[in-house]
Amino acid sequence: MTGNIGNMSRAVFLDRDGVVNEDGGYIYKREDFRFLNGIFDFCRAARARGYLLFIITNQAGIARGYFTEEDYRALTEWMLDKFAEQGIQIKKVYHCPYHPEHGVGRYKKDSFDRKPNPGMIFRAQREFNINLWSSVLIGDKDSDIN
């Protein structure tokens, strides 16, 4: 960690599917992506209180070959544009495209980034000087944290 605790940022880490948008299973098309009611208001309130916003998401659909990383990136850029239109800055989106059992080819592997592992959170901590003790993770499933 760099700096002292007083110079560190607080963060809200949001799971994507089920927290930012309705979890319709392996979402990768704009027409299937539906923002959850209240997500923009929540994010504005968190930003007003000084929290940085991050999205951390497992993307087993990439691992399983249901869609490509380019499909995922295109949807993510569109999603970030929608947040920006609402006056909300998402600091960064982290994703894990791997699955230890159901992955295909190079995507079949265990990864420290795959939730419930903390890899994506630790990456944000290093990159943005995050104080994890004053930060929050919001998920919709127990598997996001254990």
Side-chain angles (χ1 to χ4, degrees):
M1 286 188 288
T2 61
N4 65 43
I5 203 158
N7 294 333
M8 298 177 81
S9 298
R10 300 182 302 168
V12 174
F13 296 97
L14 302 164
D15 180 31
R16 193 191 81 175
D17 300 323
V19 174
V20 171
N21 61 285
E22 293 178 10
D23 188 353
Y26 307 112
I27 303 290
Y28 69 98
K29 297 180 196 170
R30 293 177 191 181
E31 57 267 22
D32 296 331
F33 194 99
R34 290 174 182 65
F35 287 97
L36 282 177
N37 288 336
I39 190 63
F40 295 129
D41 291 335
F42 172 81
C43 289
R44 275 192 288 275
R47 284 294 302 135
R49 287 165 180 77
Y51 287 88
L52 300 178
L53 300 173
F54 296 89
I55 296 173
I56 57 171
T57 178
N58 288 339
Q59 288 297 310
I62 296 170
R64 293 170 183 255
Y66 297 163
F67 53 92
T68 67
E69 290 216 50
E70 184 52 42
D71 293 329
Y72 164 80
R73 274 192 283 282
L75 180 64
T76 299
E77 288 175 20
W78 173 84
M79 176 190 70
L80 292 174
D81 287 345
K82 295 299 179 188
F83 274 105
E85 288 172 10
Q86 295 291 320
I88 300 164
Q89 179 195 26
I90 302 296
K91 199 69 173 170
K92 189 164 182 177
V93 179
Y94 295 90
H95 78 287
C96 180
Y98 306 108
H99 195 286
E101 293 136 24
H102 303 292
V104 176
R106 70 183 184 98
Y107 294 109
K108 184 177 183 174
K109 72 175 191 175
D110 200 6
S111 171
F112 191 59
D113 281 346
R114 184 170 173 76
K115 292 181 296 168
N117 295 327
M120 292 183 278
I121 293 171
F122 287 169
R123 286 172 46 205
Q125 179 189 31
R126 286 188 306 272
E127 290 176 37
F128 295 95
N129 197 29
I130 304 294
N131 178 347
L132 295 181
W133 290 107
S134 62
S135 296
V136 178
L137 167 65
I138 300 174
D140 65 318
K141 296 181 182 107
D142 287 342
S143 61
D144 288 326
I145 58 171
N146 65 26

